[in-house]
Amino acid sequence: DEQHEADMIWDAKTLHESIKKLPEGSRIVFTLFAVEGMSHKEIAKALNISESTSKTQYMRAKQLLKQQLSTILKQREF
C-alpha cells in the first residue's frame, strides 16, 4: 500500500544518508561491493589496495552502518 511504499522510500533515504557519512575508504568499498556487485579481488585491483584491505573496509562499513541505523532506530522509538 501507499504507506508501506513511503516507509520503504524513507528507509532507503536513511540508508543512503548513512552510507554518505561513512569514512571515504569504507564508503567506496561498501558501494562497490554491496551496491555495484564487484568482488573484493576486482575492488582491490581497481583501487590499488589488497583484497584483505577491501574486506576489512567492507566489514568496517557494515559495523559503522549498523551503529548509525541502530541510533536512528532508538531515536524513532521516543
Side-chain angles (χ1 to χ4, degrees), residues 2 7 19 31 61:
E2 287 182 31
D7 289 344
I19 291 169
T31 302

Side-chain angles (χ1 to χ4, degrees), residues 5-53:
E5 288 178 19
D7 289 344
M8 287 176 54
I9 292 168
W10 194 85
D11 288 342
K13 182 180 177 191
T14 301
L15 181 59
H16 181 72
E17 292 298 318
S18 295
I19 291 169
K20 284 174 34 178
K21 292 177 184 176
L22 292 172
E24 184 178 22
S26 295
R27 185 182 73 246
I28 291 169
V29 169
F30 181 85
T31 302
L32 292 175
F33 186 80
V35 180
E36 300 296 328
M38 292 176 70
S39 69
H40 286 294
K41 187 174 186 174
E42 292 169 323
I43 294 167
K45 186 175 181 181
L47 300 180
N48 197 28
I49 58 174
S50 69
E51 277 187 67
S52 63
T53 298

